[in-house]
Amino acid sequence: MGTVSPQGQRGLHCSSAAHNSDSSLVPRPPKPLRKTAKALAPHEELFRPAPDGTQDKASFVRALQNFGQHNVHKRGHVDFIYLALRKMREYGVERDLAVYNLLLDIFPKEVFRPRTVFQKIFIHYPRQQECGIAVLEQMENHGVMPNEETEFLLIQIFGRKSYPMLKFVRMKLWFSRFKNINPFRVPQDLPQDPVDLARLGLRHMEPDLSARVTVYQMPSLKDSIGTADPTKPHIVGIQSPDQQAALARHNPARPIFVEGPFSLWLRNKCVYYHILRADLLPPEEREVEEIPEEWNLYYPMQLDLDYGRSGWDDYEFDINEVEEGPVFAMCMAGAHDQATLAKWIQGLQETNPALAQIPVVFRLAASTGELLASSGLEEPSPPPPEEQEEEEDDPQRQQRGQS
C-alpha cells in the first residue's frame, strides 16, 4: 500500500504558511471607496446662467428652444420637462401660462394617444402621462388657469381619453368656481417696500373698514454703502374708532399688555405683528349691553315649541367658546424689541390721551417658528428673543420710562 508524502498532505488541506502564521484569521481592512464626481442632471447645461448672470423669461425660453433644436427626436424629453419645472422658480416664470404651453409643446405629437380599446382602459405610456399631470399640477399650485391652447396641446399629445385631459377638465371646472370665492384676496405681486407690505397685512387682519392706518416711523434710507440704520426701523399701526372708544373707557388701574410677535403669512412672505390688549374683565365688572330684538342675529331669542323628544336626545352641544380680552390696536415694526414698541405706544398717546394714565406691560417672546415647506417659501429672520418683562409693582415708573 502506497503512502502519501507530507507535501501531499499539506497540499490537500492547507498551506504551511497557514499553520505557522495567524495572519489569515485577521480580516483585511476594507478598501476606501473612491469618491466619484457628482454628475450633472441630464440637460443641466442648457440652463446654465448667461455670462452676465441674468435669469429671466427670455433665457428660459431659449433653453427650451435649444432642446428642441439639438434633440430632433426629443429623446429624454420627460427628464428635461421635470428639470424645467424645477428651474421655473429660479427664472421667475412659475406663473407664466405661455411658458407652460411651451413645456407641453416639447412632448412628441400623436405618439402617446391611445388607439385601441385596451389602450384606453389601461394607462397608455404612464410615465409620459404622469409628466403631463405634473405640469398641470404645478400650474394649479401657482394659480395658473389653462386656456384653449393648453387644451389643444393635451388633445394632440395624449388624446381626450387620458388622465392629463381629465386633470385639465377638473381644473377648468373648479378654477372658475373658486376664482373669486375669497372676499379678502391677497394680490399676486406683493409690495417690496416694508411699509406698504405692513399696510397690506394690517388691512388684511382688521375687519373694520373705518380703521385708520398710521405710519409712526419711516425706515432710514440706505447710505452709500447700501446699509440702513438698524436703530430706526419702520413702525406702522392700525386702530379703529371702536378700539379708541374702548381704550378711553378702560380702567386706569388695570394694566394693558403689548404682546407678540405673531406671524402672518401673505402668500410666500411671513411678517410679524404685535397687539395692544387687556385682560378679560371679571363677570361682576362686565357691563351687559342690551341689544334690541330687531338687531339681534338670533331673533327670535326664545321659541317655545313642544316637540316630542326621547331620552336619547342630547340637549347640549360641544362648543368650545374661548373669551379673550379686548384688543385696542395692532402694529408691524421692523424690529421687535421694547425700545421700538415703546415708540409705537408714544405715537398712540397722541390720539388716545387716556393711554398716558394706563400702565403698559411688555410681554415679548421669541418666535415660535413656522413649518416651512420645500417649495421655497420666504420667511424673514425670526425676531430676537426677549425676556418676558412684567413690572407690575410700580406702574407709574413704567409709564415714565416709556415717555
Side-chain angles (χ1 to χ4, degrees):
M1 182 176 179
T3 59
V4 180
S5 63
Q7 290 82 3
Q9 291 180 359
R10 288 197 300 268
L12 289 175
H13 298 281
C14 56
S15 63
S16 60
H19 291 282
N20 298 332
S21 176
D22 296 336
S23 60
S24 61
L25 301 178
V26 180
R28 294 182 179 178
K31 296 181 180 180
L33 298 177
R34 297 180 180 178
K35 295 183 179 180
T36 58
K38 185 178 179 181
L40 295 176
H43 315 291
E44 185 78 27
E45 67 279 357
L46 296 176
F47 291 97
R48 288 180 179 175
D52 54 354
T54 58
Q55 291 182 333
D56 51 1
K57 179 180 177 180
S59 56
F60 189 86
V61 173
R62 193 180 308 112
L64 301 184
Q65 294 175 352
N66 291 337
F67 175 79
Q69 293 176 0
H70 295 85
N71 197 344
V72 181
H73 299 286
K74 297 186 178 180
R75 294 188 179 92
H77 61 277
V78 174
D79 297 331
F80 177 77
I81 292 175
Y82 278 123
L83 177 63
L85 290 176
R86 295 192 301 266
K87 295 287 185 179
M88 292 184 73
R89 185 181 293 273
E90 300 178 8
Y91 288 81
V93 292
E94 67 273 8
R95 293 190 180 94
D96 198 324
L97 177 60
V99 176
Y100 284 106
N101 289 335
L102 288 177
L103 273 179
L104 291 176
D105 195 25
I106 295 177
F107 282 101
K109 309 302 187 294
E110 303 292 338
V111 178
F112 310 129
R113 298 184 62 176
R115 306 295 180 182
T116 63
V117 178
F118 295 101
Q119 291 178 351
K120 294 179 181 179
I121 295 176
F122 300 100
I123 303 179
H124 194 52
Y125 287 95
R127 189 164 181 263
Q128 284 73 14
Q129 291 200 38
E130 290 177 358
C131 183
I133 294 175
V135 176
L136 296 176
E137 283 185 350
Q138 185 158 325
M139 294 173 61
E140 181 182 5
N141 295 335
H142 292 288
V144 180
M145 183 74 172
N147 58 0
E148 291 78 8
E149 183 181 358
T150 310
E151 181 182 7
F152 176 76
L153 288 171
L154 291 175
I155 295 175
Q156 194 177 14
I157 299 169
F158 301 106
R160 292 190 178 274
K161 301 295 182 179
S162 61
Y163 284 94
M165 194 63 193
L166 179 61
K167 177 70 176 179
F168 169 81
V169 173
R170 289 174 176 173
M171 290 177 61
K172 292 287 287 185
L173 173 65
W174 296 111
F175 264 40
S176 59
R177 294 190 179 186
F178 293 151
K179 183 178 181 180
N180 300 318
I181 196 173
N182 186 7
F184 308 102
R185 294 192 62 186
V186 179
Q188 289 286 349
D189 298 328
L190 296 176
Q192 301 298 327
D193 187 14
V195 176
D196 296 338
L197 187 63
R199 287 175 177 168
L200 176 63
L202 293 174
R203 280 294 182 188
H204 193 70
M205 290 187 295
E206 178 58 53
D208 193 351
L209 298 179
S210 61
R212 180 183 177 184
V213 178
T214 307
V215 180
Y216 297 99
Q217 180 173 285
M218 292 293 294
S220 60
L221 300 177
K222 295 183 178 181
D223 53 12
S224 58
I225 307 177
T227 59
D229 186 8
T231 61
K232 191 179 178 182
H234 68 278
I235 304 174
V236 184
I238 189 171
Q239 192 179 33
S240 65
D242 294 340
Q243 290 175 329
Q244 290 183 356
L247 185 57
R249 296 191 305 265
H250 184 74
N251 186 6
R254 292 184 173 275
I256 57 179
F257 307 95
V258 176
E259 296 182 353
F262 305 102
S263 60
L264 172 67
W265 282 98
L266 298 174
R267 293 200 180 275
N268 61 341
K269 289 187 178 181
C270 182
V271 294
Y272 293 92
Y273 66 96
H274 296 78
I275 61 174
L276 181 66
R277 61 173 294 273
D279 287 337
L280 189 65
L281 294 177
E284 60 272 9
E285 297 184 11
R286 300 179 190 177
E287 296 180 1
V288 180
E289 183 180 0
E290 295 183 0
I291 302 177
E293 293 186 354
E294 61 271 11
W295 290 2
N296 194 349
L297 297 177
Y298 300 99
Y299 181 84
M301 301 179 63
Q302 186 175 1
L303 189 63
D304 297 330
L305 297 176
D306 188 10
Y307 287 106
R309 295 181 178 269
S310 64
W312 296 96
D313 291 336
D314 188 6
Y315 291 90
E316 297 180 357
F317 298 94
D318 295 333
I319 301 177
N320 296 326
E321 295 183 357
V322 180
E323 295 183 357
E324 297 181 351
V327 177
F328 300 121
M330 293 185 297
C331 87
M332 288 186 181
H336 309 280
D337 53 351
Q338 182 176 345
T340 303
L341 298 176
K343 297 180 181 179
W344 172 48
I345 300 299
Q346 293 176 3
L348 283 175
Q349 291 179 0
E350 299 179 0
T351 55
N352 301 270
L355 185 58
Q357 308 299 328
I358 303 174
V360 180
V361 180
F362 291 85
R363 290 178 176 176
L364 306 180
S367 176
T368 57
E370 285 74 23
L371 298 177
L372 296 180
S374 60
S375 57
L377 295 181
E378 299 178 4
E379 182 190 10
S381 57
E386 295 286 344
E387 296 182 356
Q388 182 175 351
E389 303 182 5
E390 295 187 8
E391 301 177 358
E392 300 180 359
D393 53 346
D394 194 355
Q396 299 298 331
R397 182 168 61 86
Q398 289 181 356
Q399 190 62 34
R400 290 197 298 271
Q402 296 170 5
S403 58

